[in-house]
Amino acid sequence: MAKGIADDNTRRIAPRSNLTYVLNGKLKHLISLTAKDPQVYIYGAASLSSLSFQLSSRFLFKPLPSLAHINCERKKEMALKLTIEQEFSQLSERVKSLDLHPTRPWILTSLYSGTVCIWNYQTQTMEKSFKVTESPVRSAKFIARKQWIVTGSDDRFIRVYNYETTELVKEFEAHSDYIRGVLVHPTLPCVLSSSDDILIKMWNWEKGWECAQTFEGHSHYVMQVVFDPKDTSIFASASLDATVKIWNLNSPTPVATLNGHSKGVNCIDFFMRGDKLYLLTGSDDFTAKVWHYETKSCVHTLEGHTHNITSCCVHPRLPIIITTSEDNTIRLWDATTYRLENTLDYGLQRVWAVGCKQESCQVAFGCDNGTTMLKVAVADAGTTQ
């Protein structure tokens, strides 16, 4: 016999039964029950005494708290009503990375030509420009608390600039091959760099940019690293060896490895859903995957792109997953149902990078032919900024 919520609410059911229930003196529903589905759910009942039943046999009664549960499930099944407005667009040479300043209306872009630019998306003008190197600059990030920009490039150097004075603060050879990514720790005076030399390194700027740790474990290029938002002593890395690895800042070897993609992994992001932590990854196998962090298992695969996925993120404010690709498109997915909601192509060719701002509905993209910024809003989400 199936078990109900409480023993006194549980009774044996006949192969087929009809249930009529009366609420506030009115006949509400007639349900045909079968042995295959012997559970009756009554929604919105404050207590058992508020209902009277007319039964042709005994049944299994399993009360649920309120109609909010039904409404929640229906919302999950509904398509998101997104409004998308292009707010900024600027043509340029190929953009390899971008970052949004946390307090100023600035987009930082690094270019394949070796230049780094700061664009003001409110005034639609360029604020600053730095000629960093003759090689591609594949990654650049703001260090806002120091008024710095940190860059990593194909000439293997990390360079740091003061973005107010444009002065070069520091430069040093950090790796033996191309630097794919740089990542600033949210609180510690540290930067992580990932490289084609299959290493990840941590640099401490309060100690003269010394290498505080080297992380070894990947067998191919390390494309991106990202910090765990719940515990910033933990980070994850994406590699062309088709794996994702989890690391602790205090250990040179990985603590876990995620396998599931059939080709190299280019991009990665952490996100929270409720009180649970997940990972999002994008790959050269044309798919993005959602991973349950605690179990390290893939819970869903996003399919639809027709070329390599180059960047991915879950918006910090909106319930959307964003993926970009060498197929020239930006795709927006429902972060709850994983339904594809929008496919965007702004004619800027391959899309290489995505950036979001923590307290904003704006999203920026870096492409072969320039940069664009969108304002995305969900119709049911209330006021946006």
Side-chain angles (χ1 to χ4, degrees):
M1 182 176 68
K3 292 186 180 293
I5 290 180
D7 289 342
D8 61 350
N9 286 333
T10 306
R11 294 174 173 82
R12 194 175 299 275
I13 186 168
R16 175 169 288 278
S17 304
N18 289 324
L19 164 64
T20 304
Y21 73 88
V22 180
L23 178 60
N24 297 329
K26 295 181 179 180
L27 181 67
K28 301 299 290 187
H29 204 14
L30 179 65
I31 303 173
S32 179
L33 303 173
T34 67
K36 291 182 179 179
D37 184 21
Q39 296 187 10
V40 180
Y41 296 89
I42 305 300
Y43 299 90
S47 67
L48 298 183
S49 61
S50 66
L51 299 169
S52 63
F53 296 92
Q54 298 171 356
L55 294 168
S56 60
S57 74
R58 296 168 185 254
F59 69 101
L60 171 65
F61 176 70
K62 194 171 185 180
L64 287 174
S66 71
L67 287 169
H69 179 82
I70 301 177
N71 294 336
C72 178
E73 293 302 318
R74 285 175 179 168
K75 284 180 181 178
K76 286 181 182 178
E77 295 174 0
M78 293 170 58
L80 284 177
K81 295 180 181 178
L82 301 178
T83 60
I84 302 166
E85 178 184 352
Q86 190 174 22
E87 290 196 322
F88 171 81
S89 185
Q90 179 61 51
L91 298 180
S92 72
E93 298 174 12
R94 187 189 308 173
V95 178
K96 296 307 298 178
S97 79
L98 55 79
D99 192 26
L100 300 183
H101 195 281
T103 58
R104 301 189 187 188
W106 287 359
I107 304 173
L108 173 66
T109 61
S110 68
L111 306 184
Y112 193 83
S113 63
T115 299
V116 170
C117 303
I118 298 176
W119 295 94
N120 187 316
Y121 54 81
Q122 286 184 352
T123 63
Q124 311 273 313
T125 59
M126 183 188 291
E127 294 271 349
K128 314 273 182 178
S129 179
F130 307 80
K131 182 63 176 179
V132 175
T133 175
E134 295 302 320
S135 303
V137 180
R138 296 190 183 271
S139 186
K141 293 288 190 295
F142 286 113
I143 309 179
R145 59 189 184 270
K146 300 292 290 185
Q147 298 183 329
W148 289 346
I149 292 167
V150 59
T151 69
S153 49
D154 281 7
D155 64 5
R156 309 179 300 280
F157 272 72
I158 287 178
R159 293 177 177 86
V160 184
Y161 293 86
N162 183 306
Y163 59 64
E164 297 291 0
T165 66
T166 70
E167 172 191 3
L168 178 64
V169 175
K170 182 73 175 180
E171 66 176 341
F172 58 96
E173 188 169 353
H175 289 271
S176 60
D177 208 334
Y178 296 174
I179 298 174
R180 293 284 175 172
V182 291
L183 177 68
V184 183
H185 194 280
T187 56
L188 298 177
C190 296
V191 171
L192 294 181
S193 58
S194 55
S195 170
D196 285 5
D197 65 10
I198 73 175
L199 300 176
I200 303 164
K201 296 185 178 183
M202 179 169 64
W203 309 92
N204 188 321
W205 69 69
E206 287 190 351
K207 296 183 178 180
W209 290 91
E210 74 170 17
C211 182
Q213 186 71 269
T214 299
F215 305 92
E216 300 183 66
H218 280 297
S219 58
H220 209 315
Y221 305 162
V222 187
M223 304 299 287
Q224 188 182 5
V225 290
V226 61
F227 284 112
D228 178 342
K230 294 181 68 177
D231 181 357
T232 54
S233 66
I234 303 296
F235 68 93
S237 58
S239 169
L240 292 193
D241 64 14
T243 71
V244 171
K245 293 187 183 295
I246 310 297
W247 312 77
N248 188 300
L249 289 177
N250 299 316
S251 174
T253 56
V255 298
T257 298
L258 282 63
N259 292 285
H261 284 290
S262 60
K263 293 186 178 181
V265 185
N266 293 313
C267 48
I268 189 167
D269 193 25
F270 278 103
F271 70 101
M272 298 294 300
R273 197 168 74 192
D275 60 351
K276 290 183 170 54
L277 185 63
Y278 292 83
L279 276 164
L280 173 68
T281 57
S283 169
D284 286 345
D285 65 13
F286 306 176
T287 73
K289 290 182 180 290
V290 178
W291 308 79
H292 189 284
Y293 179 73
E294 186 174 340
T295 63
K296 308 297 187 291
S297 60
C298 177
V299 299
H300 198 84
T301 299
L302 305 178
E303 298 179 292
H305 280 293
T306 59
H307 212 306
N308 304 338
I309 294 181
T310 52
S311 67
C312 64
C313 75
V314 179
H315 196 281
R317 180 172 176 176
L318 302 173
I320 56 172
I321 291 171
I322 304 166
T323 57
T324 71
S325 172
E326 290 185 56
D327 65 13
N328 303 347
T329 69
I330 299 158
R331 295 188 179 229
L332 307 182
W333 315 75
D334 188 314
T336 301
T337 65
Y338 307 121
R339 186 203 311 266
L340 177 63
E341 300 295 343
N342 290 83
T343 300
L344 308 173
D345 184 347
Y346 288 96
L348 296 173
Q349 301 303 308
R350 294 174 296 181
V351 190
W352 295 104
V354 59
C356 301
K357 202 165 184 173
Q358 189 66 37
E359 297 301 324
S360 170
C361 293
Q362 291 158 316
V363 188
F365 299 93
C367 311
D368 270 344
N369 292 337
T371 306
T372 190
M373 172 173 271
L374 311 180
K375 184 175 182 180
V376 182
V378 179
D380 295 338
T383 59
T384 59
Q385 64 180 28

